[in-house]
Amino acid sequence: MKLKKFIEKLKRVAEKHGDDTEVVMADNISVINPVFVKKNHFNEKVVVITDEE
């Protein structure tokens, strides 16, 4: 999913449920750091959402 589409979906969630909703990853770990990665095994530019600082 492209970042723009992801942000649009988050905005819709915020409009419907309030912007104080916490974002968590599927394994219930809080999301604390989006990281831009240029080189990866998919050979694409991606943003990785991680609990690593």
Side-chain angles (χ1 to χ4, degrees):
M1 175 183 302
K2 300 291 184 188
L3 186 58
K4 183 176 180 175
K5 187 172 185 174
F6 180 75
I7 291 170
E8 289 170 359
K9 287 185 175 197
L10 284 178
K11 285 181 181 179
R12 286 194 296 265
V13 169
E15 288 169 1
K16 186 173 182 179
H17 300 284
D19 61 0
D20 62 341
T21 304
E22 183 179 0
V23 176
V24 293
M25 294 191 296
D27 58 2
N28 208 28
I29 297 171
S30 294
V31 175
I32 60 170
N33 197 17
V35 178
F36 179 78
V37 179
K38 219 173 183 177
K39 299 278 185 177
N40 56 68
H41 63 277
F42 300 113
N43 204 20
E44 298 176 2
K45 297 180 196 174
V46 295
V47 174
V48 176
I49 298 174
T50 176
D51 61 338
E52 300 286 324
E53 288 192 44

